[in-house]
Amino acid sequence: MESKTDLFEENISIITPSTFDKEAEGSISVLTSRNFDIDIMDLYQKELFKTPVYKAEDHIEIHFELQGVANYTSTFNQDLETLSGRYSFFYKPAVEGDINFSPINEKRKAVGIELSVDYLKSVFGGDMDILGDFWKNIISQKEDCWIENGFIDAYLANLIYQIQDCKYEGVIKSIFLKSKVNELLAYIVSQKRNEEYSYHISKKDMEQLYYACELIKNNFENPLTLKELSIKIGMSESKFKRDFKTLFGMTAFQYLLEQRMQKGKQLLLESDYNIAEISDIVGYKNPTHFTFAFKKFYNRLPSDFKL
């Protein structure tokens, strides 16, 4: 049975224009428990601004920038920038500096999950070798960014959405959120280990493959062919296909489909566009084709998400 200290306390702050000197408005939800804290930010940023941060103890965090950019400038340690659509998993023995948020006149959505050392031990059953040098650096209180600007794929995005949209209360909420954070950790660690095992892919090639992902995401309406993608990143087509599948566990076409579905779902939930307009935005000229692909991907119709 969950003890009282396992339950989440929720504090929702409504950010008005006066809160940050008219720099942002929206809401910040803070869910706190004994084992980890979850910060959920949904803001409209009106101006560039920075906020001071300070914590004189271990800080382990997985930070997801769903929309926007966060730049941590440290007073005495390493700086860290997390880009839009990316996440960073890092450890700092102490935090002191400023966080800058951008860009202006756009929405900023982010989720930060701060983990305790004891919680990590409990999740991995004491088998901390699974975290490699990252765990060794935590124990020795040596600053480390284990994952910097990893891609938020559809699987991660869905987990984050479930955390954001949790409707449960009390002990059920605690059980649900703990299970989702555990699943998120398992997925991230598994992906990281798979990437490390892709030893035959050089760091330079990995960077080019991540660039290919950006090209795919930015060309929904007129998708680049495999030949065009391989030329743009400077690889042969056969090497591109092989290394992309090895690194990401899917083909470039599957990645395109995943990103289209993820963007479509986001627009269904957050915009006033109708289904025909959304299908066009994500690259489907025929709404029926979008509906068919969406139903196959999520096992639900687009209309189920349109409130």
Side-chain angles (χ1 to χ4, degrees):
M1 181 176 179
E2 301 263 339
S3 67
K4 187 173 182 179
T5 52
D6 286 321
L7 300 179
F8 282 88
E9 295 180 2
E10 183 169 11
N11 179 28
I12 301 177
S13 300
I14 305 301
I15 310 301
T16 64
S18 61
T19 308
F20 291 131
D21 295 325
K22 299 184 178 180
E23 293 163 333
E25 56 186 14
S27 66
I28 298 177
S29 302
V30 182
L31 302 167
T32 61
S33 75
R34 181 180 62 182
N35 295 307
F36 55 84
D37 298 340
I38 302 174
D39 297 335
I40 301 173
M41 288 148 276
D42 188 354
L43 304 172
Y44 180 81
Q45 185 154 313
K46 305 174 77 172
E47 296 180 15
L48 293 175
F49 72 97
K50 66 181 180 180
T51 183
V53 289
Y54 176 79
K55 181 180 178 183
E57 57 187 36
D58 288 336
H59 184 87
I60 306 169
E61 182 178 345
I62 311 174
H63 182 86
F64 300 91
E65 276 295 315
L66 304 172
Q67 190 174 347
V69 177
N71 192 324
Y72 168 70
T73 305
S74 175
T75 303
F76 52 85
N77 287 322
Q78 298 176 8
D79 297 344
L80 176 63
E81 182 178 56
T82 304
L83 304 175
S84 183
R86 309 289 187 93
Y87 73 96
S88 295
F89 191 175
F90 61 92
Y91 164 75
K92 293 183 180 294
V95 176
E96 182 176 344
D98 297 303
I99 298 182
N100 300 272
F101 304 113
S102 62
I104 62 172
N105 296 323
E106 290 187 20
K107 295 207 72 172
R108 177 171 180 267
K109 294 177 179 289
V111 173
I113 301 176
E114 183 181 341
L115 307 160
S116 70
V117 171
D118 287 340
Y119 184 67
L120 281 179
K121 287 181 179 178
S122 69
V123 169
F124 297 110
D127 183 16
M128 307 313 294
D129 288 343
I130 197 168
L131 297 179
D133 289 340
F134 184 56
W135 178 251
K136 294 176 183 177
N137 289 332
I138 292 174
I139 296 303
S140 60
Q141 294 193 307
K142 181 180 177 182
E143 184 175 18
D144 190 10
C145 186
W146 196 40
I147 300 173
E148 184 173 359
N149 285 304
F151 274 88
I152 300 175
D153 61 20
Y155 190 91
L156 279 177
N158 187 51
L159 283 176
I160 296 165
Y161 172 74
Q162 291 179 65
I163 290 172
Q164 292 174 298
D165 196 50
C166 177
K167 298 293 195 300
Y168 298 118
E169 300 292 341
V171 66
I172 303 301
K173 182 171 190 172
S174 177
I175 293 170
F176 178 83
L177 290 177
K178 186 175 180 180
S179 71
K180 292 304 167 184
V181 171
N182 285 355
E183 186 177 352
L184 187 149
L185 271 170
Y187 183 75
I188 287 175
V189 172
S190 174
Q191 292 294 99
K192 176 65 174 178
R193 285 166 65 84
N194 287 341
E195 181 179 305
E196 290 173 347
Y197 290 152
S198 302
Y199 58 88
H200 64 283
I201 302 178
S202 69
K203 183 177 180 180
K204 179 182 177 181
D205 285 346
M206 282 189 182
E207 290 174 353
Q208 292 303 97
L209 290 167
Y210 280 120
Y211 175 52
C213 288
E214 291 293 330
L215 292 172
I216 291 171
K217 288 170 65 176
N218 293 330
N219 290 278
F220 283 158
E221 292 188 23
N222 298 292
L224 299 172
T225 65
L226 289 175
K227 183 177 181 179
E228 290 170 330
L229 283 168
S230 61
I231 290 173
K232 284 183 176 293
I233 68 171
M235 283 186 188
S236 69
E237 187 174 338
S238 60
K239 176 176 171 59
F240 169 65
K241 290 193 292 185
R242 182 185 67 246
D243 287 0
F244 193 99
K245 179 71 179 293
T246 299
L247 184 58
F248 299 113
M250 67 183 77
T251 65
F253 175 78
Q254 289 170 328
Y255 182 80
L256 171 63
L257 174 64
E258 178 184 83
Q259 293 303 310
R260 279 174 160 172
M261 295 301 101
Q262 184 178 330
K263 182 66 176 179
K265 181 179 177 182
Q266 178 188 349
L267 291 172
L268 287 165
L269 291 167
E270 300 176 4
S271 77
D272 294 326
Y273 292 122
N274 60 42
I275 292 174
E277 290 170 326
I278 292 172
S279 68
D280 188 60
I281 290 171
V282 299
Y284 287 88
K285 301 306 179 185
N286 188 326
T288 302
H289 293 164
F290 168 68
T291 298
F292 179 80
F294 194 93
K295 174 68 164 60
K296 187 174 181 180
F297 192 85
Y298 286 114
N299 200 31
R300 294 176 66 183
L301 292 169
S303 57
D304 294 339
F305 291 88
K306 199 64 180 169
L307 301 179

